[in-house]
Amino acid sequence: MNRADDFSEADYQDSSVLKPEERRIKIEAEDTPIDIKALLLYQEGRQLADKQRDEEALDCFCQAIELKPNYSRAWKDQGIACLG
């Protein structure tokens, strides 16, 4: 993978079908890898942003960036949520 925010297709697909409560459990689990936690937070943020819940989305994007500082998609969507 050559970009900081690239994930395997399997990782992306596996995490995209999780229900919100399942996603939250994986985010909070100690054995979930940091990269996957960042992906899950990003996806949660996207879902919240799609519902115009910008403050909550912003929080998710910020958390994803804390875990994975080079996550360019999270940075982009964080900026968009700030404008919302």
Side-chain angles (χ1 to χ4, degrees):
M1 294 182 210
N2 54 5
R3 287 185 27 190
D5 58 345
D6 283 342
F7 298 93
S8 76
E9 186 66 27
D11 288 338
Y12 196 84
Q13 291 301 320
D14 288 348
S15 61
S16 68
V17 297
L18 294 175
K19 295 177 182 173
E21 58 274 0
E22 294 171 323
R23 181 177 288 114
R24 187 51 46 189
I25 289 168
K26 284 196 85 141
I27 289 168
E28 294 172 1
E30 290 185 24
D31 63 337
T32 302
I34 296 293
D35 285 353
I36 299 302
K37 286 184 182 191
L39 173 62
L40 293 167
L41 284 161
Y42 172 76
Q43 290 175 330
E44 184 173 328
R46 285 296 325 137
Q47 289 179 349
L48 291 165
D50 289 344
K51 296 174 184 174
Q52 279 76 47
R53 294 168 57 185
D54 294 327
E55 286 189 33
E56 294 168 275
L58 180 60
D59 184 52
C60 288
F61 298 140
C62 289
Q63 289 179 55
I65 291 166
E66 283 181 29
L67 294 173
K68 191 173 172 109
N70 294 340
Y71 196 173
S72 61
R73 289 181 189 170
W75 278 104
K76 176 187 71 82
D77 287 342
Q78 178 190 40
I80 292 168
C82 284
L83 295 173

